[in-house]
């Protein structure tokens, strides 16, 4: 009996001492190389390190900042860094990934992981599914809900066990059927090919006591670089004569009323809008020559206008919030950046060949000084895709391309509801099968100078 008692006492003390060693956890912050995002990533890293200072055991296995350890253009998709991440941390048991605009509760992380087995293939986060076919997922959609891909909400973070990371690293993770990278979380799920454990009380949309990771909203109070005002943004809208009577009136009755400087570039003169006609042939798609010609025109026009700091290039069916745009631009005031929703082309292969670009439909925002440089950009065809050509030019200029989750190439229904809850929205794109004014009212009008009754 005495031996049995000693045995159970030993088991008891062993169980209460089984707090996870800090050296067993590696954290990767999905940071970007620009002043604002680096500042946010450093705040998060330092906060995590501060939380671990009181732990006497071996230190945290590592807190990586993506832009430093993995600077290649495709690192933001996570897929290209997996092999190196595993190789560099073979003694780690758990790998946490989070965005720089997040908060990590390290105590909750340790308490949660100490009862988990890292020798099993484990993937945990906030899992979401498409409710219907979406263009951003190439309309790959299963009618049976149980067969649909469940992908993690990056804003809420996710954890991968060492065993699963090793399996992914050894399985040829670079290969996907498409050369385009559009939605990193969805594409990562296709590569992992294992359903994520959906744990919304641990990986959270909003703060609660048990959260391991939760997002902080896209910063709107960035006063360090000076406040951006609406009159410092010049909106260049691409349109053509066949859309003068339907798309343009929607724009003018919604966010166009908030724009101080706005110019409509078309193939036909229309004084009722009014439009500006440049000596460029109209094309059904691509619009590369049109865009570069607009840049050359604006570069000359704004050369002596020191008040305008930003040029926003949009389509005539782009919906956006001018006040919110001005607010987030304060985070990068004075910096030579291009800002929008980031896509990638051929970025999972040779880093010297691939490049990131900002997709045009949700709007692309350029610092004026950068626009002056982009006037030398060459189109390989007049109807080449302007956003992709601009991406190549930005790479050649070694310019900073900044992704923000508040810009959207598609309609609200093309994104998971939970994704849209994570940040305040700045833009959407397309009028197809929606009421664009109602979309504007629901998602974007709140910070406008106008109310419902005026729309």
């Amino acid at each position: 009996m005495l031996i049995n008692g000693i045995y159970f006492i030993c088991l008891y003390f062993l169980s209460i001492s089984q707090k996870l060693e800090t050296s067993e956890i590696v954290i990767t912050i999905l940071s970007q190389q620009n002043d604002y995002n680096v500042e946010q990533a450093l705040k998060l890293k330092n906060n995590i390190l501060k939380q671990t200072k009181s732990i006497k055991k071996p230190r945290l296995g590592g807190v990586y900042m993506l832009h430093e350890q993995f600077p290649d253009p495709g690192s933001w998709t996570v897929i290209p860094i997996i092999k190196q991440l595993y190789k560099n941390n073979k003694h780690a048991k758990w790998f946490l990934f989070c965005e720089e605009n997040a908060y990590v509760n390290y105590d909750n992380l340790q308490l949660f992981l100490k009862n988990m087995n890292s020798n099993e293939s484990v993937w945990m986060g906030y899992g979401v599914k498409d409710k219907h076919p979406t263009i951003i997922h190439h309309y790959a959609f299963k009618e049976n809900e149980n067969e649909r891909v469940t992908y993690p909400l990056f804003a809420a973070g996710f954890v991968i066990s060492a065993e699963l990371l090793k399996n992914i690293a050894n399985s040829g993770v670079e290969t996907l059927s498409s050369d385009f990278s559009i939605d990193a979380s969805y594409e990562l799920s296709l590569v992992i090919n294992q359903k994520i454990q959906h744990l919304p009380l641990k990986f959270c949309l909003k703060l609660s006591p048990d959260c391991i990771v939760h997002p902080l909203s896209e910063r709107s109070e960035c006063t360090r670089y000076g406040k951006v005002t609406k009159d410092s943004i010049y909106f260049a809208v691409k349109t053509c004569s066949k859309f003068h009577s339907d798309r343009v009136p929607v724009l003018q009755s919604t966010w166009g009323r908030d724009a101080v400087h706005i110019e409509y570039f078309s193939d036909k003169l229309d004084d009722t809008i009014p439009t500006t006609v440049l000596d460029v042939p109209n094309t059904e798609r691509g619009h590369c020559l049109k865009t570069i010609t607009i840049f050359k025109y604006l570069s000359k026009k704004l050369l002596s206008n020191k008040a305008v700091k930003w040029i926003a290039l949009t389509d005539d069916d782009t919906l956006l919030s001018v006040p919110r745009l001005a607010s987030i631009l304060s985070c990068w005031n004075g910096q030579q950046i291009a800002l929008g929703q980031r896509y990638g082309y051929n970025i999972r292969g040779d880093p010297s060949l691939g490049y990131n670009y900002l997709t045009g439909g949700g709007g692309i925002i350029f610092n004026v000084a950068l626009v002056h440089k982009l006037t030398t950009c060459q189109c390989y065809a007049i109807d080449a895709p302007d956003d992709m050509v601009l991406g190549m030019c930005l790479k050649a200029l070694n310019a900073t391309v900044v992704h923000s989750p508040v810009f959207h190439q598609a309609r609200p229904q093309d994104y998971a509801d939970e994704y849209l809850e994570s940040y305040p929205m700045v833009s959407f794109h397309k009028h197809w099968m929606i009421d664009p004014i109602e979309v504007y009212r629901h998602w974007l009008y709140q910070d406008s100078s106008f109310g419902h009754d005026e729309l």
Side-chain angles (χ1 to χ4, degrees), residues 28-41:
T28 301
I29 301 171
L30 303 176
S31 55
Q32 301 181 63
Q33 181 61 67
N34 66 79
D35 291 352
Y36 166 68
N37 292 99
V38 169
E39 181 182 346
Q40 297 308 115

Side-chain angles (χ1 to χ4, degrees), residues 23 45 59 112 158 200-201 228 240 275 303 311 336 355 357 398 407 422:
S23 58
K45 179 178 179 178
R59 299 295 298 166
F112 177 66
F158 59 94
L201 298 180
V228 168
C240 63
T275 59
L303 197 59
I311 292 176
Q336 288 192 30
Y355 60 91
Y357 64 98
N398 198 28
F407 295 87
S422 302

Side-chain angles (χ1 to χ4, degrees), residues 113-132:
L113 291 179
K114 72 175 184 177
N115 295 319
M116 307 293 293
N117 185 358
S118 64
N119 293 320
E120 296 178 352
S121 291
V122 178
W123 188 20
M124 300 170 290
Y126 194 110
V128 295
K129 294 180 181 180
D130 292 334
K131 293 183 177 179
H132 44 72

Side-chain angles (χ1 to χ4, degrees), residues 370-382:
L370 185 55
V371 170
H372 294 323
K373 295 179 180 179
L374 285 170
T375 57
T376 61
C377 190
Q378 299 294 317
C379 300
Y380 59 83
I382 65 171

